[in-house]
Amino acid sequence: MTASGTSQSGTPAIERTDLAPGYTISRVIKGSWQLSAGHSTVDRNQAVDDMAAFVEAGVTAFDCADIYTGVEDLIGAFRRRYPDLAAKTRVHTKFVPDDDVLETLDRSYVTGIVDRSLKRLGQERLDLVQFSWWRYDADRYVEVMGWLDDERRKGKIELLGVTNFNTPALARILDAGIPVASNQLQYSLLDDRPDRAMAALCHSRGVGLLTYGTLAGGFLSERWLGVPEPTDGFDNRSLIKYKLIIDDFGGWEMFQNLLQALDIVARRHASTISAVATRFMLDRPAVAACILGARNTSHLPDTLRVFDLNLTPQDTAELEAVTAARHGPDGDVFDLERDRTGKHGRIMKYNLNRDTG
């Protein structure tokens, strides 16, 4: 269920949706990967104040993870400094066991990570915990998800979700009777892997899709329109990751064709490329919300523009005419990233939990 409208100030009201009965979130979620140590230098006080600004504007859901170094602590600081705003906020974290413990982890490992997140965030109950698993040859993920569900039954967690599972693996979890409210996955105009099977499964089983990579780390913006293909490396790991997706999509020329089509639609609506790209994804079946990385409030005005935009059938057809010529990426959700020998897998870091303290 979604709701929208116009606020009393005349700005577009941020749409909201229910992931479960009584559990409502904004349809844009403030991502926080960019706030993690090692990704960028962060002014902690400013980051906390920026969180307050997002909530005041209506973005009342945050995404974080146990492996985003320092981020759960930052959100905990926000909760202490702004308790009234914190009461309006849903915090989605993750449970990402390290690759090298998948065969050996036990219930105490699960309990320890959950308790650590509770302490860092300063919550009595985690709102949503999203489960990730690096390798299917370590065939224990249904069992471990069951242990996570035990933590939910104890009252430590309100809702369970998953992230980066492929369709058969998620189906096994659902068929085991474990309640899954959401599935966080990479999904954008550049990456349509969820369209092949996952979106249909989630739509049929009542699992809301929470999309990341919606703007491909900022590539889907005016900044890259008409720009020659970069030949130097990127310092930002996010740009490295999404440039590989652009290569799979069809290369820089096809990417520029997509940006040009997005720009035409954006100008038609006096909007922006990023707003159009986000609106396109929000209109996809089963998509509950889009996670937009936001280091600071400079991204907030453009975020709000998404909710003052209605794409017409012509707009959608023009964008789909470009994406229909895509070459990839191939396969099911996150399968490319699991291949340690492939270009996507080689840039992944698989043992981050032990480094977060």
Side-chain angles (χ1 to χ4, degrees):
M1 181 184 72
T2 61
S4 60
T6 303
S7 68
Q8 292 181 351
S9 65
T11 59
I14 292 183
E15 296 168 10
R16 302 176 67 75
T17 191
D18 293 339
L19 277 186
Y23 191 103
T24 303
I25 60 169
S26 52
R27 294 199 72 205
V28 160
I29 298 172
K30 183 184 185 300
S32 58
W33 182 34
Q34 295 183 10
L35 298 177
S36 60
H39 192 285
S40 62
T41 301
V42 176
D43 181 326
R44 289 180 58 87
N45 284 328
Q46 187 60 53
V48 168
D49 290 340
D50 286 347
M51 291 177 192
F54 273 83
V55 177
E56 288 171 338
V59 179
T60 56
F62 295 169
D63 180 76
C64 65
D66 52 348
I67 61 171
Y68 296 175
T69 306
V71 174
E72 287 183 326
D73 289 318
L74 264 180
I75 296 175
F78 155 75
R79 290 176 52 79
R80 290 189 297 274
R81 188 180 300 179
Y82 296 99
D84 292 343
L85 294 178
K88 304 175 183 178
T89 307
R90 293 293 194 175
V91 180
H92 300 171
T93 192
K94 300 182 185 71
F95 169 59
V96 188
D98 285 342
D99 177 75
D100 62 6
V101 303
L102 298 185
E103 287 90 353
T104 59
L105 71 89
D106 56 16
R107 286 179 181 270
S108 65
Y109 182 96
V110 176
T111 299
I113 298 297
V114 169
D115 288 349
R116 188 182 65 184
S117 291
L118 285 166
K119 181 179 179 180
R120 287 172 172 175
L121 291 166
Q123 292 181 286
E124 294 183 0
R125 181 172 65 177
L126 299 175
D127 296 325
L128 172 70
V129 176
Q130 301 160 103
F131 176 48
S132 178
W133 193 258
W134 289 116
R135 286 184 287 112
Y136 298 132
D137 62 343
D139 190 11
R140 305 181 63 213
Y141 58 88
V142 176
E143 177 186 32
V144 176
M145 184 70 167
W147 295 343
L148 198 60
D149 190 35
D150 289 340
E151 298 297 301
R152 180 189 66 84
R153 294 173 186 274
K154 294 175 186 176
K156 294 182 180 181
I157 301 168
E158 183 165 353
L159 295 180
L160 294 178
V162 296
T163 182
N164 293 331
F165 277 84
N166 67 16
T167 308
L170 176 56
R172 281 188 64 190
I173 291 171
L174 291 169
D175 290 345
I178 300 171
V180 178
S182 65
N183 179 12
Q184 183 179 145
L185 42 64
Q186 187 169 297
Y187 197 13
S188 72
L189 280 160
L190 292 167
D191 185 352
D192 71 339
R193 285 178 288 178
D195 285 338
R196 287 156 209 174
M198 181 64 81
L201 172 68
C202 290
H203 185 68
S204 67
R205 303 291 286 267
V207 178
L209 297 182
L210 307 179
T211 75
Y212 70 87
T214 309
L215 300 179
F219 273 116
L220 291 173
S221 68
E222 281 79 5
R223 176 185 175 187
W224 295 97
L225 178 62
V227 174
E229 182 172 8
T231 56
D232 297 331
F234 297 106
D235 293 331
N236 185 315
R237 250 197 333 134
S238 180
L239 293 178
I240 296 171
K241 169 183 173 63
Y242 292 113
K243 176 58 167 59
L244 294 177
I245 294 296
I246 289 170
D247 294 343
D248 287 350
F249 176 72
W252 198 253
E253 182 177 351
M254 276 193 61
F255 170 59
Q256 287 297 316
N257 291 342
L258 178 59
L259 286 183
Q260 290 166 13
L262 283 163
D263 187 53
I264 290 170
V265 174
R267 290 176 183 275
R268 186 179 295 150
H269 294 276
S271 190
T272 65
I273 286 175
S274 59
V276 173
T278 303
R279 183 74 261 174
F280 183 92
M281 296 313 303
L282 287 173
D283 291 344
R284 301 297 294 167
V287 170
C290 295
I291 302 164
L292 301 184
R295 189 174 301 173
N296 53 53
T297 54
S298 65
H299 300 275
L300 187 52
D302 202 30
T303 297
L304 297 178
R305 299 184 78 162
V306 172
F307 301 106
D308 196 25
L309 177 62
N310 293 301
L311 298 182
T312 67
Q314 177 187 351
D315 298 330
T316 302
E318 290 174 5
L319 298 175
E320 289 178 342
V322 178
T323 60
R326 72 170 69 245
H327 299 171
D330 295 327
D332 205 333
V333 172
F334 210 71
D335 281 353
L336 290 171
E337 291 82 355
R338 293 182 195 279
D339 179 4
R340 309 299 175 87
T341 64
K343 61 183 181 180
H344 296 273
R346 287 196 298 268
I347 68 168
M348 301 296 295
K349 295 185 177 182
Y350 297 94
N351 292 293
L352 289 172
N353 220 315
R354 64 189 177 201
D355 297 327
T356 64

